[in-house]
Amino acid sequence: METPQTNGKQTFMQRNSYSIKAMVIGFLVLVLLIPTAMIMGLISEREHLQTDATKEVSSKWANEQTITGPVLVVPYTELNEKKELIRKQACFLPDKLNINGQLAPEIRKRGIYEVAVYSSQLQLSGAFTPPDPAALNIPATSFLWDEAYLSIGITDMRGITNQLQVLWNGQPYVCNPGTPAVDLLGNGVQTRIPLSAMVANSDTASFSINLGLKGSGLIYFSPVGKTTRVNINAPWANPSFDGSVLPEKRDITAKGFTASWQVLHLNRNFPQSWSVGDKYDITDADFGVKLFLPVDGYAKSMRAVKYAILIIGLTFLLFYFIELLQHHSVHPLQYILIGVALCIFYTLLIALAEQLNFNLAYIIATLLTLSLVTAYAASVFRKAGTTLAVGGTLLTLYGFIYVIIQSEDQALLMGSLGLFIILAIVMYFSRKIRWNTLGGNIAYDQNANA
């Protein structure tokens, strides 16, 4: 018998129960974006900890290194506006610069984080042609040739492991810390080189320097030679060539790499000689190699979290369709529990990726989350076929996200095609529902395929 309140008719809530349920589910999806945003913050925090660990190890070993030079710094005198004799400096770069070296990489750990450091043995050699004062419009008599310095810029002096000396035309000259052109080279070493005989006889001078140097992460070189050639090899299978110039030749194997660069003075934006008062950035054309650590768990985890709304939204949509097709109501609290389980997947992924390979961490986190949600779906629907559908759908979704994460170059294309296919599947199954009957007895359209 009908109650007086309803008079045989359905209330507004009854007529629109599934529409209201859909809005509630949509609201829950948006609410669950809050923990995913918190997870992104967690990833950023862990990345900062990794950066701090790298800085701490580097501060005790030696930081990233850039080798600039050698550069001839020659003082000269001129009269200022007050007719006072003042000293200035002119810089002259080598005609040829050859750098041959070998890196000996090591892995240092700070907690759970790994840092790549290296020791190196480098040989710098080449030749200087006699400095040409006319190129600078400075009288040759103004130069103090016997007070010239040969300077080499080295970013972190703590990395020097041997007593440096320069062989100049076969004569040894011991290096001392500091550079006369601080604004140009920053940190570095220098030694005084008498140039009077070289200039008087217009002789070309050769030089050779053996440099033992420690550093962290990467090593750069400044192409100060009119022709600069650099050859580097190391037993490191994951080099990342960086800077303004890529190597002309490189050979990378599982046992290590070799790389060769050649840079001409035409490939950079500074001349072979200038007065120190002129502003040139001779590090603008730096190039080198980074000892890349294939630990990209945080970057891949961040990319995975960006697809969280897809996983949560499609999972909720699947449960909603099951409600409509099987007349089985799922409580909003149950949706929340499922959503929380899907969010915990990402914290599991981050924690496991810090300890294991990212691919293995993703598989373990997927299996754990899949087992939890599938088992919960079995307790909710109590149908083997429905449970298998939920598990299979989640496995497909996580597999789809994994493929996108791994395919950086094709991620947009694969993601777009995948979303299109998912939308097509949703539209196909949604046409089996007779939407005009929702709120009353839900009818399944048996003739939907007709």
Side-chain angles (χ1 to χ4, degrees):
M1 183 174 180
E2 298 170 355
T3 62
Q5 288 81 359
T6 61
N7 295 321
K9 295 182 179 180
Q10 291 182 322
T11 65
F12 174 83
M13 293 294 292
Q14 289 174 325
R15 290 195 308 272
N16 299 280
S17 59
Y18 281 93
S19 298
I20 295 172
K21 186 68 169 289
M23 289 189 288
V24 170
I25 292 172
F27 176 74
L28 292 178
V29 171
L30 295 178
V31 169
L32 287 170
L33 291 180
I34 297 175
T36 60
M38 296 173 65
I39 292 171
M40 287 184 178
L42 174 64
I43 294 174
S44 297
E45 179 184 346
R46 304 300 289 182
E47 283 184 313
H48 286 308
L49 289 174
Q50 184 182 44
T51 301
D52 291 341
T54 301
K55 289 180 178 178
E56 184 178 355
V57 172
S58 299
S59 67
K60 293 177 172 57
W61 179 264
N63 291 308
E64 300 172 349
Q65 296 285 13
T66 299
I67 300 169
T68 306
V71 178
L72 267 178
V73 182
V74 185
Y76 66 93
T77 59
E78 71 175 18
L79 295 174
N80 62 10
E81 295 178 353
K82 297 180 180 180
K83 304 299 181 181
E84 297 173 337
L85 194 65
I86 59 173
R87 288 169 64 101
K88 289 189 174 182
Q89 295 173 327
C91 294
F92 299 91
L93 301 183
D95 193 60
K96 296 179 182 179
L97 174 60
N98 300 314
I99 302 176
N100 296 293
Q102 182 171 11
L103 306 183
E106 300 179 39
I107 295 294
R108 296 295 176 97
K109 288 192 174 183
R110 177 63 65 192
I112 63 173
Y113 302 109
E114 295 183 340
V115 181
V117 300
Y118 61 84
S119 300
S120 66
Q121 293 297 324
L122 306 171
Q123 184 180 46
L124 289 71
S125 61
F128 281 88
T129 55
D132 183 11
L136 302 177
N137 295 319
I138 301 173
T141 55
S142 298
F143 281 90
L144 306 175
W145 299 113
D146 287 335
E147 296 183 23
Y149 287 88
L150 188 71
S151 299
I152 305 170
I154 299 174
T155 306
D156 192 341
M157 301 282 285
R158 295 171 305 162
I160 299 174
T161 59
N162 65 319
Q163 178 58 54
L164 284 181
Q165 66 175 11
V166 177
L167 288 180
W168 183 267
N169 283 336
Q171 296 295 318
Y173 295 87
V174 176
C175 294
N176 294 302
T179 62
V182 176
D183 294 339
L184 177 68
L185 298 175
N187 298 330
V189 296
Q190 50 80 25
T191 185
R192 182 170 288 186
I193 301 290
L195 299 180
S196 297
M198 175 186 177
V199 174
N201 299 324
S202 297
D203 292 333
T204 297
S206 63
F207 66 87
S208 177
I209 305 164
N210 290 319
L211 172 61
L213 191 65
K214 297 190 301 183
S216 298
L218 63 83
I219 184 168
Y220 270 12
F221 305 95
S222 300
V224 297
K226 194 170 185 178
T227 301
T228 302
R229 294 184 176 89
V230 177
N231 298 287
I232 297 294
N233 66 83
W236 189 265
N238 298 286
S240 175
F241 302 108
D242 202 3
S244 63
V245 182
L246 293 177
E248 284 191 331
K249 298 178 181 179
R250 60 182 180 181
D251 182 24
I252 304 173
T253 67
K255 294 183 179 180
F257 75 90
T258 58
S260 301
W261 293 260
Q262 177 172 302
V263 184
L264 304 177
H265 71 296
L266 297 174
N267 304 136
R268 64 186 200 218
N269 197 31
F270 53 89
Q272 283 297 107
S273 61
W274 67 90
S275 175
V276 171
D278 299 331
K279 299 297 182 181
Y280 291 105
D281 184 5
I282 64 175
T283 63
D284 185 56
D286 290 356
F287 61 88
V289 60
K290 178 180 181 180
L291 301 179
F292 177 72
L293 276 172
V295 181
D296 51 356
Y298 293 130
K300 289 185 175 180
S301 296
M302 182 67 79
R303 294 178 64 192
V305 174
K306 291 179 181 178
Y307 291 97
I309 187 171
L310 178 65
I311 296 288
I312 296 171
L314 289 176
T315 303
F316 281 12
L317 184 63
L318 173 65
F319 275 74
Y320 182 65
F321 273 16
I322 293 174
E323 283 193 65
L324 297 180
L325 296 175
Q326 297 188 1
H327 312 283
H328 191 114
S329 179
V330 179
H331 195 276
L333 179 60
Q334 293 176 310
Y335 278 99
I336 293 175
L337 292 175
I338 294 167
V340 171
L342 297 176
C343 290
I344 290 177
F345 163 81
Y346 298 102
T347 59
L348 283 172
L349 178 61
I350 298 166
L352 291 170
E354 289 183 336
Q355 307 293 335
L356 306 170
N357 174 273
F358 176 83
N359 295 339
L360 181 59
Y362 191 94
I363 293 172
I364 294 175
T366 298
L367 291 177
L368 290 174
T369 305
L370 193 63
S371 301
L372 179 62
V373 175
T374 304
Y376 192 68
S379 67
V380 172
F381 298 115
R382 301 184 184 280
K383 290 185 179 180
T386 302
T387 302
L388 290 176
V390 171
T393 301
L394 282 176
L395 182 61
T396 302
L397 286 176
Y398 281 117
F400 171 61
I401 299 302
Y402 177 80
V403 172
I404 293 178
I405 292 173
Q406 297 297 327
S407 305
E408 288 190 38
D409 295 335
Q410 306 297 327
L412 179 59
L413 175 61
M414 298 182 67
S416 300
L417 290 175
L419 289 175
F420 181 82
I421 294 171
I422 290 171
L423 177 61
I425 294 173
V426 171
M427 293 175 69
Y428 174 79
F429 283 103
S430 66
R431 75 192 184 98
K432 295 187 175 185
I433 301 171
R434 294 168 61 180
W435 299 95
N436 60 327
T437 64
L438 292 181
N441 293 323
I442 301 174
Y444 178 80
D445 190 354
Q446 299 289 348
N447 300 316
N449 292 322

